[in-house]
Amino acid sequence: MTNNNANELLDLIRILGFNMFDAVLFLDTHPHNQQALEHYKQYQQLMNQATKEYTTYFGPLTSDDVNVTNGWTWGETPWPWEREAN
C-alpha cells in the first residue's frame, strides 16, 4: 500500500468521525430516535473497519490500536502527519 492509500484512509476516517460526532450531538437531545441510532451504528461499524485497515497496513492511529502481542509498538511507525504528502 502507498501513502496515497494512507491519505485516502485517513480522509475516510475523518469523514466517518465527523458523521459519528454529528450523530452523537443529535442523540444527546433525541436519545430514543431509532433512525439516528441506526445511523450511528452504521458509521461506527464503518469507522471500526477503516481504522482496522489503516492499523493493519500503516500502524496504530491511537494507543488503543496497538497490538501488544509483539511488545509495545506504539511509535515504531511514522505518525500519520510524518508521512510524505502526495
Side-chain angles (χ1 to χ4, degrees), residues 10-21:
L10 282 174
D11 286 344
L12 177 61
I13 289 167
R14 288 182 192 112
I15 291 166
L16 295 170
F18 178 84
N19 276 284
M20 288 176 65
F21 184 72

Side-chain angles (χ1 to χ4, degrees), residues 19-69:
N19 276 284
M20 288 176 65
F21 184 72
D22 193 47
V24 166
L25 292 176
F26 184 82
L27 286 164
D28 282 347
T29 57
H30 302 81
H32 304 292
N33 184 299
Q34 289 301 311
Q35 187 176 359
L37 286 168
E38 289 303 316
H39 176 84
Y40 180 81
K41 287 181 200 175
Q42 176 188 3
Y43 279 91
Q44 185 181 45
Q45 181 180 16
L46 292 170
M47 173 67 96
N48 289 341
Q49 291 171 349
T51 301
K52 182 178 179 182
E53 184 176 348
Y54 185 94
T55 302
T56 298
Y57 293 106
F58 304 108
L61 286 169
T62 69
S63 60
D64 293 339
D65 300 326
V66 174
N67 179 352
V68 294
T69 304

